[in-house]
């Protein structure tokens, strides 16, 4: 094992990195300042999380404009509820929980508005929730650049077909890179349930992405 | 046993972090289990694909729009109640309830028969405060709906203004309405002088001609006033004309 030569060696790859180490205290301090009316503190907080929240909600809803609106709504709710915020939880957990609830509400609204697909529905193996049938893409591979773009689009399409209860933990784990513990606190469910749902979600994705794997 | 072992190994593979090397136990199993090795490779590629999704950024005007939205919330403060979708519907429901109450009051006032106490009495203008003391002895007209009941009054019975004010006092939940104010000037009560103990119920009863029609003066708020003349409801009664023989005229000037 290599010896640590810098504090940067403790960063987590593909995540907030250094910000996460000292960001916890800073996020709380910023929110505390927001309570007293410091708008610059809130602006700083927005600057830290706006891209992550927008990206997370976009991955959940597959709608960029809608994701931006919901991300703004997330920050509005954080602002309004600043006085009720308890520092026992990490701020990231708090804001992601709000974003998750908003995204899931949006997905459910869409489900009520959506027309019934003529391709029919598949029941999931546990029979608890139906998801739309979306056969794996069998088209042959073409140019590499197009393949790369098509592959990413296919991944997003595949994720968008997952039920909400599988979609959220998968995105938080494989896209956002969050730990099981944090995911369980965001989704307010047990770690075992989180692992089970992630495993199931990956199974669904494997079926749909067979041509790309 | 083997299936249990493969299931456990796959769970372990699922739980490892992306990019992290599997531990020696997993490696040993993968060395002799082709299915699990295929699973491991597929899983690694899949997680690599999902993890390679580019981060979508917020638009450049995100902060500006958010500030505008928060400023808008400050102008129109949000109530402590998180009513959600009901927040839009509740004020409409309250407005509808108020309109309904107003409609009921208007209907009640119109159905109440009016008999004037004195000639050419000016009723309060809509929107102005009413002083019941100005009307002096106000009275109410009662007409029995069930003729078998001995409740056909023919004589005016003065009621105390306080009672009238109380009976017509708006409830706390109601808003002040013009129709309530006109009800302060009640029609006279006409009671029968003759006793009804005999059980004889006249089909008609006289109403003194001095009880002229009720006149309501309305102001539309722009200085234009109109007078409505509402005739006395008789329900089978007969106007007793004065000896002068002149019918009680109803002035139509200035009325609709």
């Amino acid at each position: 094992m290599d010896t640590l030569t810098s504090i940067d060696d403790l960063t987590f790859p593909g995540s907030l990195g250094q910000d996460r180490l000292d960001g916890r205290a800073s996020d709380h301090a910023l929110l505390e300042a927001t309570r007293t009316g410091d708008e610059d503190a809130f602006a700083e907080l927005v600057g830290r999380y706006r891209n992550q929240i927008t990206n997370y909600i976009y991955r959940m809803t597959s709608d960029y404009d809608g994701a931006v609106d919901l991300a703004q709504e997330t920050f509005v709710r954080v602002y309004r509820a600043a006085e009720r915020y308890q520092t026992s939880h990490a701020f990231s957990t708090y804001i992601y929980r709000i974003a998750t609830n908003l995204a899931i509400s949006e997905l459910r609204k869409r489900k009520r508005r959506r027309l019934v697909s003529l391709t029919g529905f598949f029941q999931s193996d546990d029979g608890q929730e139906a998801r739309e049938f979306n056969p794996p893409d069998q088209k042959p591979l073409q140019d590499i650049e197009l393949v790369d773009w098509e592959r990413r689009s296919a991944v997003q399409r595949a994720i968008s077909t997952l039920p909400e209860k599988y979609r959220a933990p998968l995105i938080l784990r494989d896209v956002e890179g969050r730990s099981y513990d944090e995911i369980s606190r965001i989704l307010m469910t047990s770690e075992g349930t989180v692992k089970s749902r992630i495993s199931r979600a990956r199974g669904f994705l494997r079926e749909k992405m067979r041509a790309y794997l | 046993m083997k299936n249990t072992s493969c299931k456990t190994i796959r769970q372990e593979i699922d739980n490892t972090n992306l990019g992290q090397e599997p531990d020696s136990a997993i490696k040993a199993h993968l060395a002799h289990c082709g299915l699990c090795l295929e699973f491991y490779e597929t899983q690694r590629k899949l997680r690599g694909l999902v993890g390679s999704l580019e981060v979508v950024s917020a638009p450049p005007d995100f902060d500006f729009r958010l500030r505008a939205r928060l400023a808008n919330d400050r102008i129109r403060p949000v109530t402590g109640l998180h009513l959600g979708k009901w927040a839009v519907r509740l004020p409409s429901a309250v407005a509808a309830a108020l309109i309904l109450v107003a409609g009921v009051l208007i209907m009640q006032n119109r159905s109440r028969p009016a008999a004037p106490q004195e000639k050419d009495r000016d009723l309060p203008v809509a929107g102005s405060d009413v002083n019941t003391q100005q009307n002096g002895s106000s009275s109410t007209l009662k007409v029995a709906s069930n003729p078998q009941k001995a409740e056909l009054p023919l004589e005016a019975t003065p009621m105390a203004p306080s009672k009238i004010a109380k009976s017509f006092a708006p409830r706390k939940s109601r808003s002040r309405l013009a129709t309530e104010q006109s009800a302060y000037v009640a029609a006279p009560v006409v009671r029968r002088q003759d006793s009804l103990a005999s059980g004889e119920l006249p089909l008609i009863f006289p109403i003194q001609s001095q009880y002229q029609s009720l006149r309501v003066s309305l102001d539309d708020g722009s200085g234009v006033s109109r007078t409505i003349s509402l005739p006395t409801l008789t329900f089978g009664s007969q106007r007793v004309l004065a000896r002068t023989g002149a019918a009680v005229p109803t002035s139509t000037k200035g009325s609709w």
Side-chain angles (χ1 to χ4, degrees):
Chain A
M1 185 175 168
D2 295 334
T3 54
L4 297 175
T5 56
S6 168
I7 194 72
D8 293 335
D9 293 342
L10 287 175
T11 61
F12 300 99
S15 68
L16 289 173
Q18 182 66 26
D19 289 339
R20 181 173 283 185
L21 290 177
D22 58 3
R24 186 176 179 135
S26 298
D27 289 345
H28 285 160
L30 290 174
L31 198 57
E32 189 64 38
T34 302
R35 281 187 211 174
T36 60
D38 187 350
E39 294 190 358
D40 290 339
F42 185 68
E44 172 69 23
L45 212 54
V46 170
R48 287 185 186 182
Y49 285 95
R50 63 182 174 201
N51 290 337
Q52 296 171 53
I53 297 296
T54 303
N55 181 61
Y56 171 59
I57 297 177
Y58 170 69
R59 295 300 169 199
M60 285 284 288
T61 60
S62 303
D63 173 15
Y64 180 72
D65 291 334
V68 171
D69 286 342
L70 291 177
Q72 295 212 333
E73 179 64 24
T74 302
F75 286 106
V76 167
R77 293 194 180 193
V78 166
Y79 185 82
R80 284 182 195 157
E83 293 183 1
R84 295 198 301 271
Y85 173 71
Q86 295 176 359
T87 56
S88 55
H89 298 293
F91 178 75
S92 61
T93 303
Y94 176 67
I95 195 170
Y96 268 89
R97 188 181 295 168
I98 295 174
T100 303
N101 291 337
L102 285 172
I104 290 176
S105 296
E106 176 63 22
L107 291 173
R108 286 175 182 167
K109 274 187 214 171
R110 284 190 203 170
K111 217 183 257 184
R112 285 193 291 268
R113 289 196 301 254
R114 192 176 62 185
L115 297 175
V116 176
S117 170
L118 293 178
T119 57
F121 289 87
F122 268 162
Q123 281 284 347
S124 57
D125 292 346
D126 55 10
Q128 290 179 357
E129 204 166 315
R131 60 185 171 92
E132 189 176 17
F133 170 60
N134 190 11
D137 195 342
Q138 301 290 352
K139 286 187 292 187
L141 303 179
Q142 297 174 9
D143 186 77
I144 293 178
E145 292 177 359
L146 286 176
V147 164
D148 197 39
W149 177 84
E150 175 60 23
R151 189 179 291 147
R152 286 199 299 270
S153 301
V155 169
Q156 180 59 41
R157 282 197 304 272
I159 291 173
S160 67
T161 62
L162 295 174
E164 301 99 41
K165 69 177 182 180
Y166 300 130
R167 198 183 306 187
L170 178 84
I171 293 172
L172 287 168
R173 177 68 178 163
D174 289 347
V175 179
E176 298 281 322
R178 307 221 163 242
S179 66
Y180 287 116
D181 177 52
E182 192 170 1
I183 295 171
S184 68
R185 279 189 267 120
I186 289 170
L187 301 179
M188 291 189 288
T189 186
S190 67
E191 209 170 299
T193 303
V194 169
K195 289 181 179 177
S196 166
R197 289 181 180 176
I198 290 173
S199 178
R200 200 165 194 90
R202 287 173 183 161
F204 287 148
L205 286 187
R206 252 197 313 276
E207 289 177 29
K208 295 181 187 303
M209 299 293 299
R210 202 172 295 142
Y212 298 92
L213 299 176
Chain B
M1 293 287 281
K2 190 176 180 181
N3 288 339
T4 307
S5 177
C6 284
K7 185 179 177 183
T8 306
I9 291 296
R10 292 184 187 190
Q11 282 176 353
E12 290 294 322
I13 291 171
D14 246 346
N15 296 338
T16 53
N17 292 326
L18 183 64
Q20 182 182 352
E21 284 293 316
D23 60 17
S24 55
I26 295 175
K27 280 184 181 176
H29 182 87
L30 295 178
H32 66 268
C33 182
L35 289 175
C36 287
L37 181 62
E38 184 186 351
F39 175 83
Y40 171 76
E41 290 296 327
T42 308
Q43 197 76 325
R44 194 172 56 83
K45 286 178 188 174
L46 178 67
R47 291 179 68 179
L49 267 177
V50 176
S52 69
L53 289 173
E54 56 199 14
V55 175
V56 171
S57 302
D61 63 346
F62 185 90
D63 286 7
F64 175 77
R65 285 161 58 180
L66 180 60
R67 281 178 185 271
R69 189 167 169 177
L70 290 173
N72 201 24
D73 280 351
R74 278 189 224 110
I75 293 171
R76 292 185 291 116
V78 179
T79 60
L81 293 173
H82 294 280
L83 302 173
K85 62 179 180 181
W86 298 103
V88 177
R89 297 181 188 177
L90 188 60
S92 305
V94 169
L98 287 174
I99 292 170
L100 188 65
V101 166
V104 168
L105 287 173
I106 291 170
M107 293 296 293
Q108 283 180 351
N109 289 333
R110 284 186 179 173
S111 65
R112 193 179 302 278
Q117 280 187 325
E118 54 191 10
K119 204 173 182 181
D120 291 333
R121 178 178 57 198
D122 288 330
L123 294 169
V125 175
S128 62
D129 291 337
V130 174
N131 187 356
T132 55
Q133 295 175 357
Q134 292 175 355
N135 300 323
S137 61
S138 50
S139 54
T140 56
L141 174 66
K142 296 179 184 177
V143 178
S145 57
N146 187 352
Q148 294 185 357
K149 292 185 180 178
E151 292 173 356
L152 285 175
L154 294 178
E155 210 171 72
T157 304
M159 281 176 62
S162 60
K163 282 190 180 177
I164 295 173
K166 189 178 178 181
S167 64
F168 288 106
R171 294 177 192 171
K172 286 183 181 177
S173 61
R174 297 181 186 174
S175 60
R176 291 180 64 84
L177 298 169
T179 54
E180 289 184 7
Q181 292 156 3
S182 65
Y184 274 86
V185 183
V189 173
V190 181
R191 290 191 181 277
R192 282 202 64 185
Q193 288 182 346
D194 299 335
S195 171
L196 296 171
S198 60
E200 293 182 4
L201 299 172
L203 294 177
I204 58 174
F205 56 91
I207 294 180
Q208 299 300 323
S209 61
Q210 65 190 14
Y211 294 133
Q212 297 184 12
S213 58
L214 178 66
R215 302 178 69 181
V216 178
S217 178
L218 301 176
D219 188 349
D220 64 358
S222 61
V224 178
S225 66
R226 295 179 183 275
T227 303
I228 303 172
S229 178
L230 303 175
T232 307
L233 295 176
T234 57
F235 291 107
S237 65
Q238 206 175 35
R239 277 192 179 272
V240 176
L241 299 177
R243 281 195 177 273
T244 57
V248 179
T250 302
S251 172
T252 58
K253 285 185 181 177
S255 63
W256 293 333

